[in-house]
């Protein structure tokens, strides 16, 4: 009689294990679906005021208005504008496809209201507040087709942003590349 009871328990054990596995998988899938749903519910969109405050902090070192932990740097520093003959790309550095005409050097633009102007909301626009003028070429020709905003005055600095120059410039001897006030723009919307 004990043997029959043991056999009966063994017969039930495998289906119970399978049922437990199905319950476990179903519970795990349900938990993952809840996490996905909560994750999408936890995302947010920047408000117009938030966009403006973020760009003010990034470009002009202005304190983030209602967030005391997001304050400007004690020393504002500068961003460095570089010229490129081709796109530096999303993963490139400031030296990727960088200009090499004789006399070339990057130009620093202070992270202040004197260096950048931040205006509007939806979109908020940041643009250079003064002309960005590169050294004159002592040779050439070389076509400047892209620019970047980055971290270092020379070397393989971090590229924070880049863009195509709307009218590429052929730089020959005596040519001084320059971006007029407001020519370097970034919109956040």
């Amino acid at each position: 009689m004990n043997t029959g009871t043991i056999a009966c328990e063994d017969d039930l054990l495998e289906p119970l294990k399978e049922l437990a596995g199905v319950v476990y998988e179903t519970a795990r899938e349900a938990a993952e679906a809840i996490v996905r749903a909560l994750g999408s519910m936890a995302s947010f969109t920047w408000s117009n005021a938030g966009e403006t405050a973020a760009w003010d902090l990034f470009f002009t070192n202005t304190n983030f208005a209602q967030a005391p932990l997001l304050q400007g740097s004690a020393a504002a520093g500068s961003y460095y504008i570089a010229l490129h003959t081709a796109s530096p790309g999303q993963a490139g550095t400031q030296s990727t496809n960088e200009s090499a005409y004789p006399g070339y050097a990057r130009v620093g633009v202070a992270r202040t209201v004197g260096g950048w102007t931040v205006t509007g909301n939806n979109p908020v626009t940041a643009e250079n507040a003064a002309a960005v003028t590169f050294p004159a070429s002592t040779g050439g020709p070389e076509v400047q087709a892209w620019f970047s905003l980055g971290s270092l005055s020379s070397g393989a600095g971090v590229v924070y942003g880049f863009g195509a120059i709307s009218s590429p410039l052929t730089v020959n001897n005596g040519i001084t590349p320059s971006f007029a006030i407001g020519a370097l723009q970034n919109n956040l919307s």
Side-chain angles (χ1 to χ4, degrees):
M1 208 184 241
N2 288 341
T3 306
T5 303
I6 292 172
C8 182
E9 288 175 2
D10 285 343
D11 289 343
L12 289 175
L13 189 58
E14 285 307 312
L16 285 174
K17 284 181 182 177
E18 287 178 29
L19 180 59
V22 169
V23 168
Y24 170 78
E25 281 300 311
T26 303
R28 185 179 61 78
E29 289 170 4
E32 287 174 354
I34 289 169
V35 166
R36 281 192 305 273
L38 289 176
S40 67
M41 290 176 12
S43 67
F44 71 94
T45 299
W46 283 94
S47 69
N48 293 342
E51 290 172 351
T52 301
W55 251 208
D56 269 336
L57 177 64
F58 186 80
F59 282 100
T60 66
N61 199 41
T62 301
N63 292 341
F64 205 99
Q66 299 299 318
L69 296 178
L70 295 174
Q71 301 301 301
S73 303
S78 294
Y79 291 123
Y80 293 91
I81 308 302
L83 293 174
H84 300 270
T85 57
S87 173
Q90 288 288 339
T93 68
Q94 286 176 280
S95 59
T96 303
N97 300 318
E98 188 171 19
S99 177
Y101 71 76
Y104 167 80
R106 294 177 193 159
V107 176
V109 178
R111 276 185 66 222
T112 66
V113 295
W116 300 96
T117 303
V118 176
T119 58
N121 58 46
N122 198 24
V124 58
T125 300
E127 58 190 25
N128 56 308
V132 175
T133 304
F134 292 86
S137 175
T138 58
E142 184 179 78
V143 177
Q144 308 308 312
W146 291 78
F147 70 95
S148 68
L149 178 138
S151 62
L152 297 177
S153 61
S154 63
V158 174
V159 171
Y160 298 123
F162 62 96
I165 297 173
S166 57
S167 296
L169 175 66
T170 300
V171 176
N172 282 304
N173 189 31
I175 299 292
T176 303
S178 182
F179 291 104
I181 294 171
L184 298 175
Q185 292 186 354
N186 186 281
N187 296 317
L188 177 64
S189 58

